[in-house]
Amino acid sequence: MPQIDFRALFETLPSPHMVLDRDLCFVEANLAYQRVTERTRDQLIGGNIFDLFPNPGEGGRRLRDSFERVLATGQPDTLALIPYAIALPVSRGGGFEMRFWSAVHTPLFDEGGQVAYILQNTVDVTEIQRLKDMAFGPAGALDAPLESATHLYQRAQELQETNLILVEETNQIRNLFMQAPGFMAVLIGPDFVFRLVNNAYQNLIGGRAVIGRPLAEALPELEGQAFQNILHDVMVTGQPYLGQAASVMLQRQAEGPPEERFVDFIYQPILDARGAPWGVFVEGSDVTDRVRAERQQKLLLDELNHRVKNTLATVQAIAAQTLRTTASPAAFRESFEARLLALSATHDLLTQSVWQGAPLEDVILMELRPHGVERYQLEGPEVALSPAETLTLGLVFHELVTNAAKYGALSTSEGCVRVRWQVRDQDGRRLELTWSEEGGPKVSPPTRQGFGSRLIERSLQGDIDGEARLDFDEGGLKCHLRMRLQAQQTGDAAAA
């Protein structure tokens, strides 16, 4: 189990705590005590409590009696209600302010079992007492020696009941704070020491223990990012700061790299009674999923615009080339529609993968499958094509299959098409593919280059950094394709 840092725990306790030695001199005081007494730790440590906070009246006498009972008996002692004037600093005009306290004094023992220190936990109940005075009249009788024990007991009970209600309300507020869907934290002092963090904040930073630690120590990866400067400005100016979709790099896993998150947040200064900032309240939401979704949406829209333009340019080129190579409107319509259908089929294949690409084998089978499984043989490893490669090769294989069906191996009952491919180079990125036709009519070189030949050669050269060579072998057409792949390759050899 991890060791508890009791020093940090003591410092961050929400109620005032301090420790006195047997001479009633301060040896420790937490931040809440320093704040409520408006004294720094250096001003307190080593000083006698009655020198620093003199009270010659009944309140001072009862406090001293309580300390002496603890030292004499070794038993805790409680003061349900004690009036005690606190000296105000010069910055607030000097003088004294009467405050009312509820205090518990607990003995701390040395190795020999003797009381060495006294731990005091106080609760400032001044506002509660003032409300009671307004409702029932002044309670000045505390300094009157004739006040009855019954009256004191009754008032102590009332105060205890009020304190229990306050504790319950405080716990409810703390539970709401911890369970709030947005992240929250309280940073105090010039070093921005973590005082409170809720569950959402812990989730944001990877569950690290930050309570009682300065920001620079607790989240060192923030060094060089803008957040520390912003916090400093909030503490200096006392003005809040609002950030939207701000990028922050956080070490959310101990051994992992910094992870980029996006947050909407506000830094709200925490002011004291004089209006001076002494801390910052941090509140916000992790909007990483929203920002990434918005970016993905923009990327998809940009990609869609790009693809629409490319598709229209492809259709325009197909129409122009088909028109130049057909003798009649009927022939033009037949060829043009066939090529558009091939382009549409390739788009359908890409749509199934949300335009992430398609397997090479699926692109080939899309054209060959209608001719029957006995008319073709495929052999090669799994190859993942990018969207651009899928569109280009879809049109290339459409032209090869169309030519084979009209003039080549697929135009006879005995013909067959064999397609073999492999991926070469150490980086596994160079595709080499051979299309071979067998058993068809005798082949002779064409007297002029048709649209299909031009499409095959120029598409590979212009669109996907490839090349194609057509061999009009007497036994059947052969097409050799070479191209550098863009997509990540996976899988081993597959045959169909």
Side-chain angles (χ1 to χ4, degrees):
M1 287 182 61
Q3 295 295 319
I4 297 176
D5 187 345
F6 286 101
R7 171 76 185 185
L9 177 63
F10 177 80
E11 283 289 333
T12 57
L13 287 171
S15 60
H17 285 72
M18 61 83 164
V19 180
L20 302 175
D21 61 16
R22 292 189 63 88
D23 295 326
L24 305 183
C25 293
F26 283 92
V27 295
E28 196 53 82
N30 72 349
L31 294 172
Y33 190 91
Q34 297 170 44
R35 187 165 58 253
V36 78
T37 59
E38 300 192 39
R39 300 290 191 279
T40 66
R41 185 175 183 277
D42 291 340
Q43 292 171 327
L44 294 170
I45 301 304
N48 184 278
I49 187 171
F50 292 107
D51 292 338
L52 293 174
F53 306 107
N55 188 334
E58 178 68 13
R61 186 189 63 78
R62 293 176 59 206
L63 182 63
R64 187 183 295 274
D65 289 346
S66 178
F67 290 146
E68 291 178 355
R69 282 194 296 272
V70 174
L71 292 173
T73 67
Q75 298 295 319
D77 193 71
T78 300
L79 294 175
L81 185 67
I82 176 174
Y84 207 101
I86 296 296
L88 298 177
V90 177
S91 60
R92 290 187 58 187
F96 290 84
E97 179 182 17
M98 180 59 70
R99 309 293 296 179
F100 291 87
W101 311 86
S102 176
V104 177
H105 298 142
T106 304
L108 302 177
F109 301 96
D110 59 19
E111 294 181 355
Q114 300 298 314
V115 177
Y117 303 100
I118 300 173
L119 171 67
Q120 182 192 74
N121 171 218
T122 55
V123 178
D124 188 344
V125 294
T126 303
E127 299 306 321
I128 297 174
Q129 188 60 42
R130 286 174 179 170
L131 290 173
K132 290 178 63 179
D133 290 346
M134 292 173 62
F136 304 108
L142 275 174
D143 288 325
L146 298 179
E147 181 179 31
S148 69
T150 302
H151 187 201
L152 284 174
Y153 179 73
Q154 180 181 359
R155 295 183 63 182
Q157 279 190 317
E158 292 173 355
L159 182 61
Q160 183 177 16
E161 292 173 0
T162 302
N163 285 344
L164 289 175
I165 294 173
L166 288 175
V167 169
E168 180 63 26
E169 291 177 349
T170 300
N171 289 337
Q172 292 177 1
I173 293 173
R174 184 177 181 85
N175 288 337
L176 289 174
F177 173 84
M178 294 301 294
Q179 298 172 19
F183 60 78
M184 297 182 185
V186 175
L187 308 176
I188 61 174
D191 294 330
F192 306 110
V193 176
F194 279 94
R195 176 70 174 274
L196 291 172
V197 294
N198 72 344
N199 296 334
Y201 195 95
Q202 285 277 276
N203 182 62
L204 177 68
I205 63 175
R208 282 176 282 181
V210 297
I211 296 297
R213 301 172 65 189
L215 180 67
E217 176 187 326
L219 304 177
E221 68 270 25
L222 293 184
E223 179 69 28
Q225 302 187 51
F227 299 95
Q228 288 176 308
N229 292 335
I230 297 173
L231 283 167
H232 176 75
D233 291 342
V234 171
M235 285 285 282
V236 170
T237 65
Q239 298 298 315
Y241 180 89
L242 179 66
Q244 293 184 326
S247 172
V248 56
M249 302 299 294
L250 290 171
Q251 191 87 22
R252 304 187 74 211
Q253 296 183 7
E255 303 299 328
E259 176 184 341
E260 185 177 29
R261 308 297 293 180
F262 297 91
V263 293
D264 289 344
F265 69 96
I266 183 169
Y267 288 160
Q268 182 72 41
I270 304 173
L271 309 178
D272 61 19
R274 295 163 291 171
W278 61 270
V280 178
F281 179 72
V282 179
E283 190 274 331
S285 301
D286 186 342
V287 295
T288 304
D289 291 342
R290 187 195 76 196
V291 171
R292 289 177 178 171
E294 290 172 351
R295 290 185 174 183
Q296 180 68 11
Q297 184 180 41
K298 184 180 183 302
L299 179 65
L300 291 175
L301 287 174
D302 292 343
E303 182 69 14
L304 178 61
N305 290 333
H306 176 71
R307 288 170 183 164
V308 168
K309 292 178 181 178
N310 286 349
T311 301
L312 291 176
T314 301
V315 171
Q316 185 180 22
I318 291 173
Q321 293 288 347
T322 305
L323 185 61
R324 285 197 294 267
T325 57
T326 52
S328 66
F332 166 79
R333 177 177 178 178
E334 179 182 354
S335 298
F336 183 63
E337 286 184 350
R339 284 162 179 156
L340 286 184
L341 288 173
L343 184 63
S344 174
T346 306
H347 274 251
D348 289 341
L349 189 61
L350 285 170
T351 300
Q352 295 174 11
S353 67
V354 198
W355 280 80
Q356 297 300 308
L360 171 63
E361 186 174 326
D362 289 354
V363 176
I364 301 172
L365 287 174
M366 181 175 60
E367 296 295 335
L368 283 174
R369 189 177 282 118
H371 295 275
V373 295
E374 72 280 0
R375 307 301 301 277
Y376 60 84
Q377 292 182 2
L378 308 182
E379 183 179 340
E382 292 183 11
V383 177
L385 301 177
S386 70
E389 293 164 349
T390 302
L391 287 172
T392 298
L393 291 181
L395 289 174
V396 167
F397 289 119
H398 171 74
E399 293 302 322
L400 289 171
V401 171
T402 300
N403 182 77
K406 287 184 176 180
Y407 315 111
L410 299 180
S411 66
T412 66
S413 59
E414 296 83 11
C416 177
V417 173
R418 302 181 190 276
V419 186
R420 295 182 176 87
W421 65 90
Q422 56 188 339
V423 179
R424 293 191 180 276
D425 291 351
Q426 291 183 351
D427 60 359
R429 309 292 282 178
R430 175 69 65 176
L431 173 67
E432 296 183 358
L433 181 145
T434 300
W435 169 285
S436 302
E437 298 183 23
E438 303 172 0
K442 184 178 179 180
V443 175
S444 58
T447 56
R448 62 181 180 84
Q449 187 180 36
F451 169 66
S453 299
R454 287 196 297 274
L455 183 146
I456 292 171
E457 294 175 353
R458 294 178 184 177
S459 293
L460 287 170
Q461 293 172 358
D463 294 340
I464 55 175
D465 186 25
E467 59 181 357
R469 187 181 80 251
L470 294 173
D471 292 337
F472 295 92
D473 187 88
E474 184 175 314
L477 174 70
K478 288 183 172 55
C479 178
H480 304 280
L481 305 179
R482 290 168 56 89
M483 55 182 284
R484 182 164 293 278
L485 295 166
Q486 301 174 14
Q488 180 73 31
Q489 304 308 313
T490 59
D492 299 316

